[in-house]
């Protein structure tokens, strides 16, 4: 299938465009850009730097992908931005280059990033993530698969958001959010598990009950975190979703978002 490039678009000679790509009015595509089969840049989109867009993505007007990090420590070097397949970036979304030489900023497959959201340098986003309007991720944020971030939320640099977690609208997230956690507030605090999200992703009733039990032991008991994790490991460690929570806690460097 032929590539469709609007006459007002500027596409550098070195850019690689897959079959069926559509490049709309006034787009600017840089020399190192690689755009996958069937991806559509609707209009006024900028793709800069060593940036790879996967197949069948849709990029809405005025999105800017792969431009220089805003980090004042940026000194140049070889940096990459990679976006997976079937991902949608809405109007005015920005996805920046990493700061350090040989760094990576990445967004996975089947993600939906809504208008005015910012994915900063060195962020790593998994698959199936939804970011609502005007979200801001600081540098080095990690967001695991199927997390949902509510509108106008801010996530501090180096924070990790676990798989299946949900961040309430306008939340200020300054510490790690465990898998399947539901957090809200400014600063954010842990409310409960994301039960609805787990159901939507096919988790059965036994799994959900196991995660609820783990949360009670970890965050609602009088046990220290070390004793609580040991108790959860002994009682529920055979449940993969619970083990994912325990592994996440063990690797946390910023500390955990907890209940008030």
């Amino acid at each position: 299938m032929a590539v469709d490039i609007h006459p007002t678009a500027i596409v550098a000679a070195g850019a690689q465009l897959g079959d069926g790509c559509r490049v709309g009015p006034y787009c600017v595509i840089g020399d190192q850009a690689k755009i996958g089969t069937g991806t559509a840049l609707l209009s006024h989109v900028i793709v800069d730097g060593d940036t790879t867009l996967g197949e069948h993505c849709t990029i809405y007007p005025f999105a800017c992908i792969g431009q220089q990090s805003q980090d004042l420590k940026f000194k140049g070097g070889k940096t990459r931005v990679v976006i997976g397949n079937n991902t949608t970036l809405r109007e005015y979304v920005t996805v920046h280059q990493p700061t350090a030489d040989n760094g990576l900023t990445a967004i996975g497959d089947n993600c939906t990033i809504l208008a005015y959201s910012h994915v900063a340098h060195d962020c790593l986003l998994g698959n199936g993530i939804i970011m609502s309007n005007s979200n801001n991720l600081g540098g080095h944020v990690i967001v695991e698969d199927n997390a949902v971030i509510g509108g106008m939320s801010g996530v501090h640099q180096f924070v990790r958001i676990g798989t299946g977690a949900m961040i309430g609208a306008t939340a200020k997230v300054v510490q790690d959010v465990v898998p399947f956690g539901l957090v809200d507030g400014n600063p954010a605090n842990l409310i409960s598990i994301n039960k609805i999200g787990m159901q939507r992703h096919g988790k059965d009733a036994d799994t959900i009950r196991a995660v609820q039990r783990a949360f009670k032991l970890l965050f609602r008991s009088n046990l220290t975190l070390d004793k609580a994790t040991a108790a959860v490991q002994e009682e529920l460690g055979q449940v993969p979703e619970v083990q994912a929570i325990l592994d996440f806690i063990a690797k946390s460097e910023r500390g955990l978002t907890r209940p008030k």
Side-chain angles (χ1 to χ4, degrees):
M1 187 181 298
V3 174
D4 181 7
I5 302 175
H6 193 274
T8 62
I10 299 174
V11 180
Q16 301 176 33
L17 276 62
D19 291 344
C21 284
R22 291 187 291 122
V23 181
Y26 301 103
C27 293
V28 180
I29 313 299
D31 194 63
Q32 299 180 74
K34 294 172 281 294
I35 299 175
T37 299
T39 286
L41 282 56
L42 299 188
S43 76
H44 298 83
V45 173
I46 294 175
V47 182
D48 199 7
D50 186 352
T51 295
T52 299
L53 287 174
E55 298 181 356
H56 304 292
C57 296
T58 304
I59 315 300
Y60 280 74
F62 300 101
C64 296
I65 308 166
Q67 294 197 302
Q68 179 178 314
S69 166
Q70 295 179 118
D71 189 344
L72 298 181
K73 298 187 297 297
F74 180 81
K75 302 299 181 185
K78 181 174 175 57
T79 60
R80 292 189 303 133
V81 173
V82 176
I83 296 174
N85 301 325
N86 302 303
T87 284
T88 297
L89 306 182
R90 293 297 308 228
E91 297 84 354
Y92 291 96
V93 166
T94 52
V95 182
H96 282 175
Q97 294 177 23
T99 294
D101 190 28
N102 293 315
L104 173 67
T105 303
I107 299 174
D109 299 337
N110 301 305
C111 295
T112 302
I113 314 297
L114 298 190
Y116 295 96
S117 291
H118 174 59
V119 178
H121 62 88
D122 301 278
C123 286
L124 300 176
L125 279 62
N127 302 320
I129 291 163
I130 298 173
M131 290 174 55
S132 195
N133 297 73
S134 301
N135 287 160
N136 287 282
L137 304 184
H140 302 276
V141 166
I142 295 174
V143 185
E144 296 180 355
D145 294 351
N146 300 318
V148 177
I149 305 177
M152 296 181 286
S153 297
V155 181
H156 195 282
Q157 60 194 35
F158 292 101
V159 160
R160 296 168 60 225
I161 296 175
T163 184
M166 183 168 188
I167 312 301
T170 73
K172 175 186 175 183
V173 183
V174 297
Q175 291 183 296
D176 295 344
V177 179
V178 293
F180 313 111
L182 172 60
V183 306
D184 196 14
N186 184 355
N189 67 96
L190 185 64
I191 305 297
S192 65
I193 72 165
N194 183 17
K195 181 178 178 180
I196 300 300
M198 294 184 74
Q199 291 172 338
R200 287 174 177 169
H201 287 95
K203 305 299 182 184
D204 60 34
D206 288 342
T207 297
I208 293 172
R209 280 193 292 268
V211 171
Q212 288 174 321
R213 171 65 176 161
F215 266 61
K216 288 179 181 178
L217 287 171
L218 290 166
F219 301 113
R220 301 291 185 185
S221 70
N222 292 323
L223 299 173
T224 65
L225 186 60
D226 286 343
K227 290 182 177 180
T229 53
V232 172
Q233 182 69 64
E234 181 176 358
E235 181 180 340
L236 300 162
Q238 74 281 6
V239 180
E241 289 79 4
V242 173
Q243 190 60 55
I245 294 169
L246 295 176
D247 293 344
F248 185 96
I249 290 171
K251 296 175 183 176
S252 177
E253 296 181 357
R254 285 195 59 83
L256 302 173
T257 301
R258 296 172 174 267
K260 284 186 178 178

